[in-house]
Amino acid sequence: MSLFRKLFGSSISPSDEEKESQTNNFFPENNISVDERFIYNFKKNGGKFLYCENNQEVKDQFENILEENDWFESEVLCYDPKLFGLLDENKLSYTNPSRPKFLLSSCENLIAEEGSILFSSKQIKQHKPNELPTNIVVLATTSQILAMKSDGLSAIKKKYERDYPTNITAIKYFEKAKEEDFTQYGSSAKNLYLLLLEDL
């Protein structure tokens, strides 16, 4: 499947898609780019993916998310001062929220091998994933996509040099398991939107 089709949703029929995935099983995963692998795994985990070419598209898509969920004039959990402007523009309250409807956050990295999002105390303080709101909106850039979790940890080490963040956590499940799935035991599923801004 082409990257473009993955980005903007597929218009091929399920049977064609099934045939395509069967033929892809014969090729090693290394043949697809890191970006494609992240998008595929992220969507497979139930994440909602919105590609943005510029900051105006980020603002527009964010407003679409607010409208879709009726989150206007609600409380939001946000620890990133760079995102406060987006909240102010939409009249959302983020000062000491008692019942936030969602978390608005940046992230450390996007991990392709498992389609997960890597956070640290810089974005979520000391909250465990199950203490965060069920709804999460993440703003990230294409340059943050890395192949493996170990690459993400190396990037954090390099980025912060001395002031290492704590509470490094990957959130991977974005919808409730349809059946009892032991791999999701102990994890809390999140309704997660990813606004991915092109910066390469």
Side-chain angles (χ1 to χ4, degrees):
M1 194 191 275
S2 72
L3 177 59
F4 186 83
R5 222 180 306 148
K6 281 184 184 167
L7 292 175
F8 300 104
S10 175
S11 60
I12 59 176
S13 72
S15 62
D16 290 342
E17 204 166 57
E18 205 173 279
K19 281 181 207 157
E20 197 169 274
S21 70
Q22 285 170 358
T23 55
N24 286 345
N25 289 341
F26 296 108
F27 298 103
E29 232 184 33
N30 296 339
N31 283 353
I32 64 171
S33 71
V34 173
D35 297 25
E36 286 180 290
R37 192 176 319 152
F38 171 74
I39 293 163
Y40 174 79
N41 288 330
F42 177 77
K43 288 173 90 174
K44 189 172 83 174
N45 291 343
K48 297 175 183 82
F49 172 81
L50 299 157
Y51 176 78
C52 305
E53 288 187 353
N54 53 49
N55 285 315
Q56 186 56 51
E57 282 189 17
V58 169
K59 290 177 182 181
D60 294 344
Q61 293 288 15
F62 182 65
E63 284 179 25
N64 291 340
I65 293 168
L66 295 177
E67 192 174 334
E68 180 185 321
N69 294 283
D70 195 21
W71 287 341
F72 286 107
E73 297 179 23
S74 58
E75 291 186 316
V76 182
L77 187 63
C78 182
Y79 296 114
D80 190 340
K82 292 181 197 146
L83 300 176
F84 291 168
L86 199 56
L87 297 172
D88 290 334
E89 281 175 31
N90 291 285
K91 297 179 176 64
L92 296 162
S93 169
Y94 52 88
T95 312
N96 300 320
S98 56
R99 299 187 68 184
K101 292 270 185 181
F102 65 97
L103 165 72
L104 175 64
S105 178
S106 56
C107 66
E108 293 296 342
N109 292 106
L110 307 171
I111 309 301
E113 72 173 338
E114 55 184 29
S116 64
I117 300 184
L118 199 61
F119 295 96
S120 76
S121 56
K122 300 289 184 185
Q123 295 90 34
I124 60 173
K125 300 295 184 193
Q126 296 307 318
H127 295 291
K128 295 183 180 78
N130 62 346
E131 296 168 348
L132 295 170
T134 302
N135 303 302
I136 299 177
V137 180
V138 175
L139 176 59
T141 59
T142 50
S143 62
Q144 288 179 281
I145 300 174
L146 299 175
M148 297 181 290
K149 204 180 281 183
S150 57
D151 298 328
L153 298 174
S154 298
I156 289 172
K157 196 172 180 184
K158 190 175 176 183
K159 180 179 176 182
Y160 295 104
E161 290 180 12
R162 291 198 181 104
D163 183 25
Y164 293 125
T166 55
N167 194 26
I168 296 168
T169 305
I171 296 181
K172 174 177 172 178
Y173 299 109
F174 312 118
E175 62 183 0
K176 293 275 182 220
K178 289 168 184 66
E179 297 165 16
E180 285 302 313
D181 181 355
F182 74 93
T183 61
Q184 291 193 30
Y185 184 75
S187 64
S188 54
K190 300 294 179 186
N191 176 33
L192 194 140
Y193 292 87
L194 173 62
L195 295 168
L196 186 64
L197 175 62
E198 178 65 63
D199 72 338
L200 292 173

